[in-house]
Amino acid sequence: MSKDFDRLRAKLPDAASNDPGRTVVVASDTALRSLSHFQRLAIATAALPVSRRELPNLIADTIYNFKGEIVWPNGTAYDLPDVDDAFGGEGSFRWVSDFIRFAEEPPRQHPQRRVLQRLRLIDLYFRIAYPERARLIAE
């Protein structure tokens, strides 16, 4: 990646505490389909110091070990999907590389509905691990 991403990686804040009383709200389909949210999520993902193959493992470790509550915007409980299934179960995770490319080149169309679960899991990772960064993504 570019030098900008190296700079972003160096500035990653410490991970948030794993407070059992904390409630995290997952992003809505509308938010995830927003071009600005989509690109900011790609930028934040590109700044993570993990490979495309390690990203699903990082997401799974973070969300499955989260001790707080995860809910939909309407307050109902969010049932965690299987991360590998959400990412298509293909071992190369090429989709992650394609997604990260949008960090440097803005998307021209809204993300397809079939990838919303992947985007929601990536977004949820940031909401749990880096809530300050998640707020900037969601603006």
Side-chain angles (χ1 to χ4, degrees):
M1 288 284 143
S2 71
K3 292 178 185 175
D4 293 332
F5 294 119
D6 293 335
R7 185 176 41 78
L8 286 171
R9 282 187 184 114
K11 293 183 179 184
L12 276 175
D14 292 332
S17 67
N18 197 356
D19 179 7
R22 190 168 149 220
T23 299
V24 174
V25 179
V26 297
S28 68
D29 288 0
T30 303
L32 292 172
R33 293 199 76 226
S34 157
L35 292 178
S36 58
H37 188 109
F38 181 73
Q39 186 174 29
R40 286 191 295 262
L41 191 58
I43 292 167
T45 304
L48 292 173
V50 296
S51 71
R52 71 180 187 206
R53 292 175 190 219
E54 293 173 17
L55 181 65
N57 293 331
L58 176 66
I59 291 170
D61 289 346
T62 301
I63 64 174
Y64 295 143
N65 292 320
F66 180 62
K67 304 228 184 298
E69 184 179 12
I70 302 172
V71 298
W72 286 100
N74 68 5
T76 61
Y78 175 71
D79 294 324
L80 293 173
D82 182 88
V83 173
D84 286 336
D85 288 347
F87 278 86
E90 51 102 7
S92 69
F93 298 104
R94 289 184 68 122
W95 179 88
V96 174
S97 295
D98 294 339
F99 169 63
I100 288 174
R101 285 192 195 110
F102 290 113
E104 293 186 13
E105 185 175 321
R108 291 185 224 156
Q109 64 185 27
H110 298 281
Q112 296 176 356
R113 292 196 183 279
R114 65 182 177 86
V115 300
L116 289 182
Q117 190 172 30
R118 296 173 190 179
L119 296 175
R120 185 170 287 112
L121 289 173
I122 295 169
D123 188 78
L124 180 58
Y125 164 78
F126 283 104
R127 288 174 188 240
I128 292 171
Y130 303 106
E132 300 82 25
R133 182 163 280 194
R135 277 190 279 283
L136 294 173
I137 292 169
E139 285 184 348

